Amino acid sequence: GTPVAAAPADGVVEVLAGHGEIASDWTPDALAAAVERILAWEPAVRQARTAAARAWAQTRYRWDRVAEQLENEFSQAAASRR
């Protein structure tokens, strides 16, 4: 797992879920500040956040779960067209 610094795009905040750093805006300085925050993490914090992020992603984005979510979305879309 690699810590992630990202711009505040739609969905990014939810995907990172506190496991990375979100830039305050889209400027290079803001993204650099997010990277600097990651680099300032203590090693134990980095290891803990990396392990938590990996566990979260493996739970949330398992293929069986993703398939179930897609099936639900398609079912709802089909039902709304009836």
Side-chain angles (χ1 to χ4, degrees):
T2 301
V4 175
D10 289 342
V12 170
V13 174
E14 294 80 14
V15 170
L16 286 183
H19 303 298
E21 293 288 344
I22 304 291
S24 58
D25 58 47
W26 287 81
T27 64
D29 287 342
L31 188 55
V35 171
E36 288 173 350
R37 288 193 302 273
I38 288 172
L39 294 174
W41 292 352
E42 294 293 326
V45 171
R46 183 177 294 114
Q47 290 173 349
R49 287 181 84 170
T50 297
R54 180 182 301 269
W56 180 83
Q58 288 175 334
T59 300
R60 183 171 175 96
Y61 296 108
R62 287 188 337 249
W63 281 115
D64 60 329
R65 181 176 164 107
V66 171
E68 181 182 330
Q69 290 171 335
L70 283 172
E71 182 179 12
N72 289 338
E73 292 294 327
F74 288 138
S75 294
Q76 289 176 7
S80 71
R81 298 193 77 191
R82 293 183 192 149

